[in-house]
Structure formats: structure tokens, C-alpha cells
């Protein structure tokens, strides 16, 4: 009823009330300063952020909207694509150079713990898709831990371009086999119920959408 009244009220209260957002840990850190600035601008907005790479149960955990990285939309909820996220291979500057895909198997790798230990590394170049069996020596369940592992020189690993950008610019990471990348994933806004999405939730997602071209490098 409160939401209905807000929609009928000419004085738009689009940033009023509580919004519980679940964000991937890495991208969430990038969005965090902007979301804090948004709340500072709107005293009536109360944000609750969950920076988590796991798949939350939106209904039981009271999540208004979740941002999820996936190859395809989640089957159980309404979802909308916000951006395409590219992932490439990186390593520390002092890591041994890699000149071909065939050499990857000889080097240690850093991978997300949600991926099966024996799963091959899938790479894409143009229309070519290849699977490479790699030696995984370090696994973690957050992007920040994986990024630190790559910067420490432990091995080669895939990292989303927005998360690797600062380390690349600072010279803490270098690209490995830049003609190849991991299969693209998409950032989805996932809602527990598409029949009723509060205006405050739509408004916060609209702010995030406006930030994405700068973060992802799309112009």
C-alpha cells in the first residue's frame, strides 16, 4: 500500500525506504562508493548490501534484487541483462611468459572454488573455443582473494576485466595470451517477484546501470 501511494504521489519518493541488494563481491566493491554517495544524497533511502559470490535464496533472505554473473539467466526468478562482462587471463609481471595455449598446462593456475577441480579451462578466440586441462594450485571463493593470489605470483588465472583494471594500470598484473579470453558472462538483475518491483528498487538499479558503461569499458 505504501508503494502504491508513492506511485500516485506527484512528489516522487523514488529513493525512500529499505533496499536489500546482493552483489558479487568484486563488482560490489566497485559499486560501493557510488551506492554510499547515493544514500548520502537521499536520507530516506536505507541500503542493505550483501557482498557475496554465493547464490542467495532471494525470498527467504529478504533480498529485493540480486546482481548475478552468469552465462544464462537464472531459471527460478525474473531477470534482466544489465551488461556483458569479459574475463581474460592474467598473472603477475614476473611470471614466466606464455607464448601459446599449449603452454598453459605447464603452469600453475588460480581458479574460483565454485568450479569443479578437474574442470578444463575454456578459452575463446574469435569463433574458436578450446578446452585446456590445467594444474590448479590455488582456489578461493571470492574475487578479491583470487586477485591477490594472481598479484602474488602464485599462478595464471581468469579475472573479470573491471576487477583487473586497477591492477593492470598499476603494473601489478599483465595479460596472458591476450588473443584469448574466457567465455563472456552477463550481469543480471534478478528479482524475487517480477509482478511487483518497488520503485525504490528500480531506481537503485537504474543508478547502477548508468555506472556500468564506465566500469565495463563499453561506450
Amino acid at each position: 500500500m505504501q508503494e502504491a501511494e508513492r506511485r500516485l504521489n506527484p512528489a516522487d519518493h523514488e529513493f525512500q525506504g529499505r533496499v536489500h541488494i546482493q552483489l558479487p563481491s568484486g563488482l560490489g566493491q566497485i559499486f560501493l562508493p557510488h551506492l554510499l554517495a547515493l544514500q548520502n544524497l537521499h536520507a530516506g533511502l536505507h541500503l542493505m548490501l550483501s557482498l557475496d559470490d554465493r547464490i542467495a535464496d532471494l525470498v527467504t533472505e529478504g533480498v529485493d534484487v540480486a546482481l548475478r554473473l552468469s552465462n544464462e539467466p537464472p531459471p527460478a526468478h525474473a531477470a534482466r541483462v544489465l551488461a556483458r562482462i569479459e574475463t581474460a587471463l592474467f598473472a603477475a609481471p614476473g611470471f614466466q611468459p606464455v607464448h601459446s595455449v599449449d603452454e598453459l598446462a605447464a603452469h600453475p593456475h588460480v581458479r574460483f572454488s565454485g568450479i569443479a577441480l578437474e574442470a578444463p579451462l575454456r578459452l575463446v578466440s574469435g569463433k574458436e573455443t578450446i578446452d585446456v586441462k590445467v594444474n590448479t594450485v590455488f582456489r578461493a571463493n571470492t574475487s578479491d582473494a583470487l586477485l591477490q593470489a594472481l598479484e602474488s605470483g602464485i599462478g595464471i588465472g581468469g579475472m573479470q576485466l573491471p576487477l583487473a583494471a586497477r591492477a593492470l594500470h598499476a603494473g601489478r598484473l599483465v595479460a596472458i595470451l591476450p588473443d584469448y579470453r574466457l567465455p563472456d558472462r552477463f550481469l543480471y538483475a534478478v528479482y524475487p517477484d517480477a509482478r511487483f518491483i518497488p520503485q525504490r528498487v528500480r531506481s537503485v538499479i537504474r543508478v547502477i546501470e548508468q555506472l556500468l558503461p564506465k566500469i565495463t569499458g563499453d561506450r
Side-chain angles (χ1 to χ4, degrees):
M1 291 298 296
Q2 289 175 342
E3 182 63 23
E5 289 175 2
R6 289 191 185 106
R7 292 188 181 194
L8 292 171
N9 190 343
D12 191 9
H13 297 287
E14 63 175 343
F15 291 108
Q16 294 280 335
R18 185 193 75 109
V19 179
H20 184 180
I21 313 172
Q22 187 197 31
L23 300 151
S25 62
L27 288 175
Q29 293 290 345
I30 296 176
F31 290 132
L32 183 57
H34 304 282
L35 293 173
L36 292 174
L38 181 67
Q39 178 153 341
N40 274 328
L41 285 174
H42 303 281
L45 178 65
H46 300 154
L47 293 175
M48 178 177 176
L49 304 184
S50 300
L51 274 60
D52 201 336
D53 290 320
R54 70 184 176 88
I55 304 299
D57 186 317
L58 304 188
V59 176
T60 60
E61 297 184 34
V63 177
D64 294 303
V65 59
L67 269 60
R68 290 183 180 167
L69 281 167
S70 178
N71 298 323
E72 56 186 12
H77 297 290
R80 183 166 66 87
V81 174
L82 301 181
R84 179 175 61 89
I85 306 295
E86 292 187 16
T87 302
L89 290 174
F90 299 97
F95 199 82
Q96 184 177 344
V98 179
H99 303 289
S100 71
V101 172
D102 294 336
E103 296 178 15
L104 285 174
H107 297 289
H109 282 257
V110 170
R111 302 187 77 184
F112 181 59
S113 58
I115 300 171
L117 185 59
E118 299 302 321
L121 173 68
R122 177 158 292 179
L123 296 174
V124 177
S125 179
K127 295 183 179 180
E128 179 188 19
T129 299
I130 58 174
D131 288 342
V132 182
K133 187 171 180 59
V134 295
N135 175 28
T136 301
V137 299
F138 180 87
R139 305 171 82 206
N141 66 343
T142 68
S143 299
D144 182 62
L146 295 172
L147 184 61
Q148 290 190 46
L150 292 175
E151 291 180 8
S152 74
I154 284 177
I156 299 170
M159 183 57 58
Q160 301 149 29
L161 294 190
L163 307 187
R166 185 176 297 178
L168 274 173
H169 183 73
R172 299 192 303 271
L173 286 181
V174 294
I176 300 294
L177 299 177
D179 290 338
Y180 289 86
R181 69 182 191 279
L182 280 69
D184 293 339
R185 291 192 291 170
F186 297 89
L187 184 66
Y188 291 93
V190 184
Y191 302 95
D193 188 349
R195 296 169 298 178
F196 181 70
I197 303 172
Q199 182 59 42
R200 62 185 181 275
V201 177
R202 296 180 187 272
S203 298
V204 172
I205 291 300
R206 187 169 63 248
V207 170
I208 290 175
E209 273 192 284
Q210 292 168 353
L211 295 169
L212 281 168
K214 180 179 179 180
I215 292 170
T216 61
D218 292 336
R219 294 290 187 266

